Amino acid sequence: SLRRCFGVNREEPTKSPVIEINQLSQFFRQGQTRLEILKNVSLKIRAGEMVGLVGPSGSGKSTLLHLAGLLERPSGGKIVYKGQDCELMTDNERTKLRLQEIGFIYQFHHLLPEFSARDNVMMPQLIAGLTKNEAANRANQLLNMVGLSERGDHKPSQLSGGEKQRVAIVRSIANVPQLVLADEPTGNLDPLTSTQVFEQLRSVIKGGKLSALIATHNHQLAEKLDRIFKIEGGSLVEL
Ligand code: ADP
Ligand code: MG
């Protein structure tokens, strides 16, 4: 697994949930009206499990991923991460947990344009305290996993859309997170490239025995995951 390969000392997959989304609600105020985007949403994701999240634009997929990723605090309910209630944590504790345990992938790659693919994959590792040598070795192995071993020196502008997303995928797992949150990771790609990139995302996450919650418009891709949920009227419905 990724953990063994990179010498990261973390627990192996178990039956206990990595993340429990517990009776979560999110409201936004818009003038006089209160938008109820999520209403009492609950979901448990176990180690090694990949869950798909579908629903039309505006249904609350990104909102749920932000809450799950501890980027915001919910209006109601809580996120429990490996048994710890995240609503009881300070902002600093939440940030630390997020940096160490959660990887993010977005629709647009968000790679740093001035840096090479390898540097982009090294960056989170350097922030986490790895040496330059360790980070470069790991970045090379990760780029190799997604067929980009020859592209390490290339900047994002020299890569295709699919290649940039593959770099973003391995960057998200460079610190071997327990959980990957992906928000329409193939939403900006043509259908064929979408399928290829999605398959690579699935294989690196499965290979690393990581857990994931992946929002996508594409039901066909979502069907390749372990379970699929749809957000309907603020509630989660298992498909
Ligand atoms: P999706 O990702 O499924 O397209 P979002 O989670 O981005 O949906 O948005 C769900 C709804 O919540 C949308 O109507 C959006 O306008 C609204 N929304 C999201 N964030 C905010 C915010 N910070 N303030 C007000 N409304 C918001
Ligand atoms: Mg969204």
mmCIF file of all heavy atoms in Angstrom, residues 116-161:
data_model
loop_
_atom_site.group_PDB
_atom_site.id
_atom_site.type_symbol
_atom_site.label_atom_id
_atom_site.label_comp_id
_atom_site.label_asym_id
_atom_site.label_seq_id
_atom_site.Cartn_x
_atom_site.Cartn_y
_atom_site.Cartn_z
ATOM 1 N N SER A 116 7.039 23.220 -11.472
ATOM 2 C CA SER A 116 6.929 21.992 -12.252
ATOM 3 C C SER A 116 5.933 21.043 -11.580
ATOM 4 O O SER A 116 5.564 21.232 -10.406
ATOM 5 C CB SER A 116 8.288 21.301 -12.331
ATOM 6 O OG SER A 116 8.643 20.802 -11.063
ATOM 7 N N ALA A 117 5.536 20.020 -12.355
ATOM 8 C CA ALA A 117 4.643 18.987 -11.810
ATOM 9 C C ALA A 117 5.275 18.382 -10.561
ATOM 10 O O ALA A 117 4.614 18.230 -9.525
ATOM 11 C CB ALA A 117 4.402 17.908 -12.863
ATOM 12 N N ARG A 118 6.570 18.062 -10.638
ATOM 13 C CA ARG A 118 7.239 17.445 -9.477
ATOM 14 C C ARG A 118 7.213 18.391 -8.270
ATOM 15 O O ARG A 118 6.882 17.991 -7.158
ATOM 16 C CB ARG A 118 8.678 17.079 -9.816
ATOM 17 C CG ARG A 118 9.387 16.343 -8.665
ATOM 18 C CD ARG A 118 10.854 16.046 -8.928
ATOM 19 N NE ARG A 118 11.055 15.270 -10.139
ATOM 20 C CZ ARG A 118 11.448 15.775 -11.309
ATOM 21 N NH1 ARG A 118 11.732 17.064 -11.428
ATOM 22 N NH2 ARG A 118 11.577 15.005 -12.362
ATOM 23 N N ASP A 119 7.528 19.661 -8.500
ATOM 24 C CA ASP A 119 7.517 20.630 -7.395
ATOM 25 C C ASP A 119 6.122 20.744 -6.774
ATOM 26 O O ASP A 119 5.986 20.875 -5.558
ATOM 27 C CB ASP A 119 7.960 22.015 -7.879
ATOM 28 C CG ASP A 119 9.449 22.066 -8.182
ATOM 29 O OD1 ASP A 119 10.172 21.168 -7.699
ATOM 30 O OD2 ASP A 119 9.874 22.987 -8.900
ATOM 31 N N ASN A 120 5.095 20.719 -7.631
ATOM 32 C CA ASN A 120 3.731 20.797 -7.115
ATOM 33 C C ASN A 120 3.421 19.612 -6.201
ATOM 34 O O ASN A 120 2.736 19.767 -5.197
ATOM 35 C CB ASN A 120 2.718 20.861 -8.261
ATOM 36 C CG ASN A 120 2.404 22.290 -8.682
ATOM 37 O OD1 ASN A 120 1.652 22.987 -8.009
ATOM 38 N ND2 ASN A 120 3.000 22.735 -9.785
ATOM 39 N N VAL A 121 3.926 18.429 -6.560
ATOM 40 C CA VAL A 121 3.667 17.239 -5.741
ATOM 41 C C VAL A 121 4.556 17.244 -4.489
ATOM 42 O O VAL A 121 4.188 16.708 -3.450
ATOM 43 C CB VAL A 121 3.854 15.946 -6.570
ATOM 44 C CG1 VAL A 121 3.589 14.706 -5.737
ATOM 45 C CG2 VAL A 121 2.929 15.957 -7.793
ATOM 46 N N MET A 122 5.714 17.903 -4.584
ATOM 47 C CA MET A 122 6.618 17.987 -3.419
ATOM 48 C C MET A 122 6.113 18.976 -2.367
ATOM 49 O O MET A 122 6.344 18.793 -1.170
ATOM 50 C CB MET A 122 8.015 18.440 -3.873
ATOM 51 C CG MET A 122 8.795 17.377 -4.604
ATOM 52 S SD MET A 122 10.327 18.044 -5.315
ATOM 53 C CE MET A 122 11.269 18.472 -3.841
ATOM 54 N N MET A 123 5.428 20.028 -2.835
ATOM 55 C CA MET A 123 5.066 21.152 -1.955
ATOM 56 C C MET A 123 4.368 20.725 -0.653
ATOM 57 O O MET A 123 4.837 21.079 0.433
ATOM 58 C CB MET A 123 4.187 22.119 -2.743
ATOM 59 C CG MET A 123 4.225 23.535 -2.267
ATOM 60 S SD MET A 123 5.738 24.377 -2.766
ATOM 61 C CE MET A 123 5.491 24.543 -4.539
ATOM 62 N N PRO A 124 3.262 19.961 -0.735
ATOM 63 C CA PRO A 124 2.618 19.583 0.538
ATOM 64 C C PRO A 124 3.518 18.734 1.436
ATOM 65 O O PRO A 124 3.400 18.795 2.657
ATOM 66 C CB PRO A 124 1.372 18.796 0.104
ATOM 67 C CG PRO A 124 1.535 18.507 -1.343
ATOM 68 C CD PRO A 124 2.519 19.477 -1.904
ATOM 69 N N GLN A 125 4.428 17.989 0.825
ATOM 70 C CA GLN A 125 5.324 17.146 1.626
ATOM 71 C C GLN A 125 6.357 18.004 2.356
ATOM 72 O O GLN A 125 6.701 17.748 3.507
ATOM 73 C CB GLN A 125 6.068 16.163 0.730
ATOM 74 C CG GLN A 125 5.155 15.266 -0.094
ATOM 75 C CD GLN A 125 5.984 14.367 -0.989
ATOM 76 O OE1 GLN A 125 6.804 13.604 -0.512
ATOM 77 N NE2 GLN A 125 5.799 14.475 -2.294
ATOM 78 N N LEU A 126 6.836 19.056 1.678
ATOM 79 C CA LEU A 126 7.810 19.947 2.309
ATOM 80 C C LEU A 126 7.145 20.687 3.469
ATOM 81 O O LEU A 126 7.736 20.858 4.531
ATOM 82 C CB LEU A 126 8.383 20.927 1.282
ATOM 83 C CG LEU A 126 9.187 20.274 0.141
ATOM 84 C CD1 LEU A 126 9.595 21.320 -0.895
ATOM 85 C CD2 LEU A 126 10.415 19.547 0.675
ATOM 86 N N ILE A 127 5.874 21.085 3.241
ATOM 87 C CA ILE A 127 5.130 21.757 4.312
ATOM 88 C C ILE A 127 4.960 20.813 5.501
ATOM 89 O O ILE A 127 5.016 21.225 6.652
ATOM 90 C CB ILE A 127 3.759 22.259 3.788
ATOM 91 C CG1 ILE A 127 3.984 23.391 2.777
ATOM 92 C CG2 ILE A 127 2.858 22.729 4.932
ATOM 93 C CD1 ILE A 127 2.755 23.791 1.976
ATOM 94 N N ALA A 128 4.801 19.512 5.201
ATOM 95 C CA ALA A 128 4.622 18.524 6.278
ATOM 96 C C ALA A 128 5.945 18.152 6.942
ATOM 97 O O ALA A 128 5.963 17.373 7.893
ATOM 98 C CB ALA A 128 3.930 17.278 5.732
ATOM 99 N N GLY A 129 7.060 18.667 6.423
ATOM 100 C CA GLY A 129 8.339 18.472 7.112
ATOM 101 C C GLY A 129 9.256 17.411 6.520
ATOM 102 O O GLY A 129 10.288 17.096 7.101
ATOM 103 N N LEU A 130 8.899 16.867 5.348
ATOM 104 C CA LEU A 130 9.819 15.922 4.717
ATOM 105 C C LEU A 130 11.017 16.670 4.133
ATOM 106 O O LEU A 130 10.910 17.857 3.813
ATOM 107 C CB LEU A 130 9.105 15.137 3.601
ATOM 108 C CG LEU A 130 8.404 13.844 4.059
ATOM 109 C CD1 LEU A 130 7.123 14.149 4.791
ATOM 110 C CD2 LEU A 130 8.126 12.950 2.865
ATOM 111 N N THR A 131 12.136 15.979 3.971
ATOM 112 C CA THR A 131 13.299 16.618 3.356
ATOM 113 C C THR A 131 13.052 16.724 1.852
ATOM 114 O O THR A 131 12.193 16.040 1.303
ATOM 115 C CB THR A 131 14.592 15.805 3.569
ATOM 116 O OG1 THR A 131 14.472 14.584 2.822
ATOM 117 C CG2 THR A 131 14.828 15.507 5.039
ATOM 118 N N LYS A 132 13.857 17.575 1.202
ATOM 119 C CA LYS A 132 13.733 17.754 -0.241
ATOM 120 C C LYS A 132 13.926 16.434 -0.985
ATOM 121 O O LYS A 132 13.219 16.139 -1.944
ATOM 122 C CB LYS A 132 14.777 18.765 -0.732
ATOM 123 C CG LYS A 132 14.160 20.107 -1.073
ATOM 124 C CD LYS A 132 15.166 21.012 -1.745
ATOM 125 C CE LYS A 132 14.450 21.885 -2.756
ATOM 126 N NZ LYS A 132 15.328 22.909 -3.331
ATOM 127 N N ASN A 133 14.905 15.660 -0.520
ATOM 128 C CA ASN A 133 15.185 14.370 -1.146
ATOM 129 C C ASN A 133 14.024 13.396 -1.037
ATOM 130 O O ASN A 133 13.628 12.764 -2.007
ATOM 131 C CB ASN A 133 16.408 13.721 -0.495
ATOM 132 C CG ASN A 133 17.605 13.817 -1.409
ATOM 133 O OD1 ASN A 133 17.444 13.939 -2.632
ATOM 134 N ND2 ASN A 133 18.789 13.778 -0.827
ATOM 135 N N GLU A 134 13.494 13.289 0.181
ATOM 136 C CA GLU A 134 12.357 12.393 0.417
ATOM 137 C C GLU A 134 11.171 12.818 -0.435
ATOM 138 O O GLU A 134 10.513 11.990 -1.071
ATOM 139 C CB GLU A 134 11.930 12.443 1.892
ATOM 140 C CG GLU A 134 12.906 11.804 2.853
ATOM 141 C CD GLU A 134 12.591 12.129 4.323
ATOM 142 O OE1 GLU A 134 12.086 13.237 4.620
ATOM 143 O OE2 GLU A 134 12.862 11.270 5.157
ATOM 144 N N ALA A 135 10.909 14.125 -0.449
ATOM 145 C CA ALA A 135 9.745 14.637 -1.171
ATOM 146 C C ALA A 135 9.902 14.406 -2.677
ATOM 147 O O ALA A 135 8.950 14.031 -3.360
ATOM 148 C CB ALA A 135 9.543 16.119 -0.864
ATOM 149 N N ALA A 136 11.116 14.592 -3.184
ATOM 150 C CA ALA A 136 11.348 14.406 -4.620
ATOM 151 C C ALA A 136 11.202 12.934 -4.996
ATOM 152 O O ALA A 136 10.592 12.602 -6.016
ATOM 153 C CB ALA A 136 12.732 14.925 -5.007
ATOM 154 N N ASN A 137 11.720 12.042 -4.144
ATOM 155 C CA ASN A 137 11.583 10.604 -4.407
ATOM 156 C C ASN A 137 10.132 10.186 -4.446
ATOM 157 O O ASN A 137 9.691 9.470 -5.341
ATOM 158 C CB ASN A 137 12.279 9.789 -3.298
ATOM 159 C CG ASN A 137 13.765 9.710 -3.542
ATOM 160 O OD1 ASN A 137 14.208 9.838 -4.689
ATOM 161 N ND2 ASN A 137 14.529 9.520 -2.476
ATOM 162 N N ARG A 138 9.403 10.647 -3.446
ATOM 163 C CA ARG A 138 7.994 10.293 -3.362
ATOM 164 C C ARG A 138 7.232 10.885 -4.547
ATOM 165 O O ARG A 138 6.372 10.226 -5.138
ATOM 166 C CB ARG A 138 7.420 10.798 -2.040
ATOM 167 C CG ARG A 138 6.182 10.071 -1.624
ATOM 168 C CD ARG A 138 5.569 10.691 -0.401
ATOM 169 N NE ARG A 138 6.091 10.151 0.842
ATOM 170 C CZ ARG A 138 5.531 10.398 2.031
ATOM 171 N NH1 ARG A 138 4.467 11.170 2.118
ATOM 172 N NH2 ARG A 138 6.035 9.875 3.122
ATOM 173 N N ALA A 139 7.536 12.132 -4.903
ATOM 174 C CA ALA A 139 6.855 12.782 -6.036
ATOM 175 C C ALA A 139 7.102 11.985 -7.320
ATOM 176 O O ALA A 139 6.185 11.772 -8.112
ATOM 177 C CB ALA A 139 7.328 14.225 -6.184
ATOM 178 N N ASN A 140 8.335 11.527 -7.513
ATOM 179 C CA ASN A 140 8.639 10.751 -8.714
ATOM 180 C C ASN A 140 7.849 9.448 -8.745
ATOM 181 O O ASN A 140 7.312 9.061 -9.785
ATOM 182 C CB ASN A 140 10.143 10.454 -8.797
ATOM 183 C CG ASN A 140 10.932 11.714 -9.158
ATOM 184 O OD1 ASN A 140 10.391 12.637 -9.769
ATOM 185 N ND2 ASN A 140 12.196 11.751 -8.755
ATOM 186 N N GLN A 141 7.760 8.771 -7.606
ATOM 187 C CA GLN A 141 6.989 7.520 -7.552
ATOM 188 C C GLN A 141 5.516 7.781 -7.835
ATOM 189 O O GLN A 141 4.854 7.007 -8.521
ATOM 190 C CB GLN A 141 7.107 6.883 -6.172
ATOM 191 C CG GLN A 141 8.464 6.259 -5.906
ATOM 192 C CD GLN A 141 8.478 5.581 -4.535
ATOM 193 O OE1 GLN A 141 7.726 4.647 -4.291
ATOM 194 N NE2 GLN A 141 9.311 6.076 -3.645
ATOM 195 N N LEU A 142 4.995 8.869 -7.270
ATOM 196 C CA LEU A 142 3.578 9.186 -7.453
ATOM 197 C C LEU A 142 3.282 9.533 -8.911
ATOM 198 O O LEU A 142 2.294 9.080 -9.485
ATOM 199 C CB LEU A 142 3.178 10.347 -6.534
ATOM 200 C CG LEU A 142 3.045 9.989 -5.052
ATOM 201 C CD1 LEU A 142 3.062 11.245 -4.195
ATOM 202 C CD2 LEU A 142 1.766 9.198 -4.792
ATOM 203 N N LEU A 143 4.150 10.329 -9.523
ATOM 204 C CA LEU A 143 3.931 10.701 -10.927
ATOM 205 C C LEU A 143 4.008 9.450 -11.807
ATOM 206 O O LEU A 143 3.243 9.299 -12.759
ATOM 207 C CB LEU A 143 4.960 11.750 -11.370
ATOM 208 C CG LEU A 143 4.739 13.142 -10.752
ATOM 209 C CD1 LEU A 143 5.936 14.051 -11.013
ATOM 210 C CD2 LEU A 143 3.455 13.790 -11.286
ATOM 211 N N ASN A 144 4.884 8.549 -11.438
ATOM 212 C CA ASN A 144 5.013 7.288 -12.151
ATOM 213 C C ASN A 144 3.719 6.469 -12.085
ATOM 214 O O ASN A 144 3.305 5.861 -13.069
ATOM 215 C CB ASN A 144 6.195 6.509 -11.542
ATOM 216 C CG ASN A 144 6.588 5.339 -12.410
ATOM 217 O OD1 ASN A 144 6.393 5.381 -13.625
ATOM 218 N ND2 ASN A 144 7.114 4.308 -11.786
ATOM 219 N N MET A 145 3.055 6.497 -10.913
ATOM 220 C CA MET A 145 1.802 5.749 -10.727
ATOM 221 C C MET A 145 0.721 6.174 -11.704
ATOM 222 O O MET A 145 -0.169 5.397 -12.017
ATOM 223 C CB MET A 145 1.235 6.020 -9.323
ATOM 224 C CG MET A 145 1.708 5.105 -8.256
ATOM 225 S SD MET A 145 0.850 5.616 -6.740
ATOM 226 C CE MET A 145 2.110 5.190 -5.587
ATOM 227 N N VAL A 146 0.740 7.443 -12.116
ATOM 228 C CA VAL A 146 -0.299 7.916 -13.033
ATOM 229 C C VAL A 146 0.280 8.172 -14.429
ATOM 230 O O VAL A 146 -0.260 8.965 -15.208
ATOM 231 C CB VAL A 146 -1.039 9.170 -12.496
ATOM 232 C CG1 VAL A 146 -1.906 8.806 -11.295
ATOM 233 C CG2 VAL A 146 -0.061 10.281 -12.123
ATOM 234 N N GLY A 147 1.371 7.487 -14.724
ATOM 235 C CA GLY A 147 1.927 7.518 -16.077
ATOM 236 C C GLY A 147 2.573 8.832 -16.467
ATOM 237 O O GLY A 147 2.645 9.162 -17.654
ATOM 238 N N LEU A 148 3.045 9.594 -15.490
ATOM 239 C CA LEU A 148 3.619 10.901 -15.803
ATOM 240 C C LEU A 148 5.102 10.984 -15.430
ATOM 241 O O LEU A 148 5.614 12.074 -15.167
ATOM 242 C CB LEU A 148 2.841 12.008 -15.081
ATOM 243 C CG LEU A 148 1.403 12.226 -15.547
ATOM 244 C CD1 LEU A 148 0.715 13.272 -14.672
ATOM 245 C CD2 LEU A 148 1.357 12.669 -17.010
ATOM 246 N N SER A 149 5.785 9.844 -15.442
ATOM 247 C CA SER A 149 7.184 9.858 -14.994
ATOM 248 C C SER A 149 8.065 10.739 -15.876
ATOM 249 O O SER A 149 9.064 11.279 -15.414
ATOM 250 C CB SER A 149 7.738 8.444 -14.916
ATOM 251 O OG SER A 149 7.461 7.760 -16.097
ATOM 252 N N GLU A 150 7.660 10.925 -17.138
ATOM 253 C CA GLU A 150 8.467 11.757 -18.041
ATOM 254 C C GLU A 150 8.105 13.244 -17.949
ATOM 255 O O GLU A 150 8.683 14.070 -18.642
ATOM 256 C CB GLU A 150 8.256 11.311 -19.500
ATOM 257 C CG GLU A 150 8.440 9.827 -19.758
ATOM 258 C CD GLU A 150 9.847 9.365 -19.428
ATOM 259 O OE1 GLU A 150 10.810 10.051 -19.846
ATOM 260 O OE2 GLU A 150 9.978 8.337 -18.733
ATOM 261 N N ARG A 151 7.092 13.559 -17.132
ATOM 262 C CA ARG A 151 6.553 14.922 -17.134
ATOM 263 C C ARG A 151 6.891 15.725 -15.883
ATOM 264 O O ARG A 151 6.382 16.835 -15.707
ATOM 265 C CB ARG A 151 5.024 14.873 -17.292
ATOM 266 C CG ARG A 151 4.559 14.183 -18.544
ATOM 267 C CD ARG A 151 5.189 14.798 -19.794
ATOM 268 N NE ARG A 151 4.314 14.655 -20.918
ATOM 269 C CZ ARG A 151 3.685 15.685 -21.489
ATOM 270 N NH1 ARG A 151 3.891 16.911 -21.075
ATOM 271 N NH2 ARG A 151 2.883 15.471 -22.491
ATOM 272 N N GLY A 152 7.740 15.158 -15.026
ATOM 273 C CA GLY A 152 8.050 15.805 -13.753
ATOM 274 C C GLY A 152 8.551 17.235 -13.878
ATOM 275 O O GLY A 152 8.255 18.088 -13.046
ATOM 276 N N ASP A 153 9.316 17.515 -14.929
ATOM 277 C CA ASP A 153 9.908 18.851 -15.078
ATOM 278 C C ASP A 153 8.980 19.835 -15.774
ATOM 279 O O ASP A 153 9.306 21.013 -15.906
ATOM 280 C CB ASP A 153 11.212 18.754 -15.887
ATOM 281 C CG ASP A 153 12.287 18.012 -15.111
ATOM 282 O OD1 ASP A 153 12.326 18.187 -13.872
ATOM 283 O OD2 ASP A 153 13.049 17.259 -15.732
ATOM 284 N N HIS A 154 7.835 19.353 -16.257
ATOM 285 C CA HIS A 154 6.951 20.237 -17.017
ATOM 286 C C HIS A 154 6.068 21.071 -16.100
ATOM 287 O O HIS A 154 5.596 20.611 -15.073
ATOM 288 C CB HIS A 154 6.086 19.418 -17.976
ATOM 289 C CG HIS A 154 6.876 18.844 -19.110
ATOM 290 N ND1 HIS A 154 6.299 18.151 -20.147
ATOM 291 C CD2 HIS A 154 8.208 18.868 -19.368
ATOM 292 C CE1 HIS A 154 7.237 17.777 -21.003
ATOM 293 N NE2 HIS A 154 8.408 18.191 -20.549
ATOM 294 N N LYS A 155 5.849 22.303 -16.533
ATOM 295 C CA LYS A 155 4.939 23.173 -15.792
ATOM 296 C C LYS A 155 3.502 22.888 -16.216
ATOM 297 O O LYS A 155 3.267 22.350 -17.303
ATOM 298 C CB LYS A 155 5.292 24.633 -16.074
ATOM 299 C CG LYS A 155 6.603 25.004 -15.413
ATOM 300 C CD LYS A 155 6.886 26.480 -15.505
ATOM 301 C CE LYS A 155 8.182 26.765 -14.764
ATOM 302 N NZ LYS A 155 8.686 28.107 -15.033
ATOM 303 N N PRO A 156 2.522 23.262 -15.379
ATOM 304 C CA PRO A 156 1.124 23.003 -15.715
ATOM 305 C C PRO A 156 0.736 23.451 -17.132
ATOM 306 O O PRO A 156 0.003 22.737 -17.823
ATOM 307 C CB PRO A 156 0.357 23.792 -14.651
ATOM 308 C CG PRO A 156 1.269 23.754 -13.468
ATOM 309 C CD PRO A 156 2.664 23.840 -14.035
ATOM 310 N N SER A 157 1.261 24.599 -17.579
ATOM 311 C CA SER A 157 0.887 25.085 -18.910
ATOM 312 C C SER A 157 1.369 24.155 -20.024
ATOM 313 O O SER A 157 0.881 24.227 -21.153
ATOM 314 C CB SER A 157 1.465 26.486 -19.127
ATOM 315 O OG SER A 157 2.881 26.420 -19.058
ATOM 316 N N GLN A 158 2.316 23.275 -19.713
ATOM 317 C CA GLN A 158 2.834 22.342 -20.725
ATOM 318 C C GLN A 158 2.109 20.997 -20.678
ATOM 319 O O GLN A 158 2.460 20.085 -21.421
ATOM 320 C CB GLN A 158 4.335 22.120 -20.497
ATOM 321 C CG GLN A 158 5.142 23.402 -20.670
ATOM 322 C CD GLN A 158 6.587 23.213 -20.231
ATOM 323 O OE1 GLN A 158 6.848 22.935 -19.067
ATOM 324 N NE2 GLN A 158 7.513 23.354 -21.161
ATOM 325 N N LEU A 159 1.115 20.885 -19.806
ATOM 326 C CA LEU A 159 0.388 19.618 -19.653
ATOM 327 C C LEU A 159 -1.049 19.769 -20.155
ATOM 328 O O LEU A 159 -1.619 20.852 -20.097
ATOM 329 C CB LEU A 159 0.359 19.204 -18.175
ATOM 330 C CG LEU A 159 1.722 19.009 -17.493
ATOM 331 C CD1 LEU A 159 1.522 18.783 -15.997
ATOM 332 C CD2 LEU A 159 2.491 17.863 -18.121
ATOM 333 N N SER A 160 -1.632 18.645 -20.600
ATOM 334 C CA SER A 160 -3.037 18.655 -21.025
ATOM 335 C C SER A 160 -3.931 18.716 -19.782
ATOM 336 O O SER A 160 -3.460 18.528 -18.645
ATOM 337 C CB SER A 160 -3.342 17.381 -21.801
ATOM 338 O OG SER A 160 -3.339 16.277 -20.917
ATOM 339 N N GLY A 161 -5.226 18.927 -20.014
ATOM 340 C CA GLY A 161 -6.182 18.994 -18.904
ATOM 341 C C GLY A 161 -6.162 17.722 -18.059
ATOM 342 O O GLY A 161 -6.144 17.780 -16.830
#
